[in-house]
Amino acid sequence: MTETKVSAAKMAVQAEGLHKRFVTSEGEVHAVNDVSFTVEAGDFVALHGPSGCGKSTLLLMTGALLSPDGGRLEIAGEDPYQLKAEGRAAFRAAHVGFVFQQFHLIPYLDVLDNVLIGELAGERGSFDQRARELLEKFNIGHRLHHVPSKLSIGEQQRVALARALLRSPELLLADEPTGNLDPENSAIILQHLADYADDGGAVIMVTHDDRARAAAKSSLHLDAGQLIMASGEKGADQA
Ligand code: ADP
Ligand code: MG
């Protein structure tokens, strides 16, 4: 039963030897160094490691937001970095949801408009219902017309999550989604991420937080830009 499920699972993302370096006035930093992994539909992976080890850089590359200097990435069987900027933006919109650590909500737009920000005027109508449903599910349905500054941090985090989930992306990436939250709001977000994976999404969450790590089904440990350990269901299966 388990084997059938694994072999039938649709591969969401495959990274092969990803590399990213930054050149600064202080020299060269190999932020991500030869990192390979596979994440499938239904996976909920915690990406963890010390501050500065390359987690955010790896997440951005995985989300088709930052070109690698070496290696290859495939999402749903396609390499987004082979596409030109416009094609890549469309590809991201179709396949990837990203929850930024600092949310990046637009301060002068209300909650509903923030969730719908990525939709063209002509397509908005078809996503309006889903936006409202997500916000309702995340217990902010009564705040649709508040601007972000009128919301608590936990509410802002849930708006950012609703925005990332609007198009039901097969790959959901979240950078420290519980980093600013109290335990109660943390638990709510973690449950939503776990549910999303159970519903067939692939979820990668960067985290410092032990509770968040425990909520994930497997983990990837990054240190000084390199993957040094994989654990949980996936790691055990592959060992
Ligand atoms: P983490 O998210 O694990 O804290 P980051 O991916 O943000 O780590 O950073 C990894 C390393 O790359 C750090 O040494 C950081 O200073 C460096 N770095 C990240 N982004 C840039 C950038 N845009 N320019 C220069 N150096 C960067
Ligand atoms: Mg980071």
Side-chain angles (χ1 to χ4, degrees), residues 50-57 59 101 175-176 206 208:
S51 183
C53 74
K55 303 182 296 295
S56 293
T57 303
L59 203 69
Q101 190 169 3
D175 199 346
E176 309 226 16
V206 164
H208 263 114

Side-chain angles (χ1 to χ4, degrees), residues 159-173:
V159 175
L161 184 59
R163 182 180 59 190
L165 293 179
L166 186 67
R167 288 179 167 229
S168 309
E170 54 213 284
L171 179 60
L172 177 67
L173 305 173

Side-chain angles (χ1 to χ4, degrees), residues 20-24 29-32 49-60 66 101 175-176 206 208 222:
K20 185 72 190 179
R21 74 191 163 91
F22 295 109
V23 180
T24 67
V29 181
H30 293 270
V32 171
S51 183
C53 74
K55 303 182 296 295
S56 293
T57 303
L58 181 57
L59 203 69
L60 289 168
L66 180 70
Q101 190 169 3
D175 199 346
E176 309 226 16
V206 164
H208 263 114
L222 203 61

